[in-house]
Amino acid sequence: MPWIKTIPFDAATGKLRDLYKRVTGPNNNVDNIMMMHSLRPHTMEGHMAIYKYVLHHKDNAVPKWFLETLGVWVSSLNACSYCVEHHFAGLKRLLRDETRADALRAGIEARDIAATPLDAREQAALVYAQKLTVAPQDMVQSDVQALRDAGWEDGEILEINQVSAYFSYANRTVLGLGCSTQGDVIGLSPGNNDDPDDWGHA
């Protein structure tokens, strides 16, 4: 059970009920991380908007599987098993290569960027995300330049930054309120990238 009161789908009314309908998966399942917001529906609305626009938007240039990889990496660094499990399942589905996905997870769990089956450009993004996650106060301009030198364009660097920052927010929502995966359907996500206002999970 979470550490604060939450309102289940069947008991929701008004704005909360409307928001739940937008974020449901199969059988009206609402991810527990969204249910954490049930006492303040406006914060769920804000959370879902930034999540959808940062990770699941048609105008992103960085491949979605790699954005999910960054999410799993940051969540692992923050010891947030909830987000690791959800987003690794999504990563695995997108990658369609179980062996590579498992090797990615092994490298992430070992905190060994060099061991991940990623190219030098992608590994540079993990280095940036790690520093931003564990020592944000130490970030300097050369950290961004290192991404440019690895082959990332500035718009892509913004995507890497935003996904890394979003997951630290999500991790702290989960860890700070006792959110668990109990009752969740692991790995669902908003699949319709073309419509940023479609929050349905599948």
Side-chain angles (χ1 to χ4, degrees):
M1 296 293 292
W3 302 335
I4 62 170
K5 176 184 175 182
T6 58
I7 301 170
F9 181 90
D10 291 342
T13 59
K15 183 180 180 69
L16 177 61
R17 179 83 172 188
D18 292 341
L19 286 171
Y20 273 173
K21 286 179 181 177
R22 291 185 67 186
V23 303
T24 52
N27 300 315
N28 291 329
N29 177 78
V30 178
D31 283 348
N32 289 339
I33 190 173
M34 288 297 117
M35 212 173 290
M36 293 299 102
H37 293 279
S38 59
L39 298 179
R40 297 291 184 272
H42 60 279
T43 68
M44 184 197 306
E45 195 169 24
H47 187 155
M48 269 306 303
I50 196 166
Y51 170 56
K52 178 75 188 226
Y53 276 70
V54 164
L55 195 65
H56 298 286
H57 198 283
K58 64 182 176 62
D59 292 336
N60 283 344
V62 179
K64 192 170 178 178
W65 73 265
F66 186 65
L67 295 178
E68 290 280 19
T69 299
L70 287 170
V72 174
W73 175 235
V74 169
S75 299
S76 180
L77 292 169
N78 283 323
C80 181
S81 61
Y82 179 95
C83 291
V84 168
E85 296 307 323
H86 267 284
H87 290 275
F88 179 71
L91 160 63
K92 204 169 190 177
R93 185 176 65 246
L94 290 166
L95 203 54
R96 297 179 183 173
D97 183 338
E98 191 162 338
T99 301
R100 189 177 183 207
D102 289 343
L104 260 175
R105 183 155 187 175
I108 286 170
E109 289 179 349
R111 303 285 190 270
D112 188 351
I113 293 173
T116 58
L118 299 170
D119 62 27
R121 180 174 178 258
E122 293 158 350
Q123 289 184 355
L126 263 62
V127 170
Y128 172 91
Q130 180 173 21
K131 185 175 180 182
L132 183 61
T133 301
V134 302
Q137 72 281 1
D138 294 334
M139 298 299 292
V140 290
Q141 187 172 354
S142 60
D143 294 316
V144 168
Q145 187 58 49
L147 291 177
R148 288 194 191 108
D149 293 344
W152 295 104
E153 297 178 358
D154 280 18
E156 294 169 325
I157 293 169
L158 176 61
E159 290 180 39
I160 292 164
N161 169 273
Q162 288 297 284
V163 168
S164 301
Y166 163 74
F167 273 93
S168 280
Y169 160 73
N171 299 159
R172 282 153 178 77
T173 299
V174 166
L175 295 170
L177 296 174
C179 181
S180 77
T181 58
Q182 185 176 355
D184 270 0
V185 180
I186 300 297
L188 299 182
S189 65
N192 183 3
N193 287 9
D194 292 333
D195 183 358
D197 294 318
D198 182 353
W199 296 350
H201 282 52

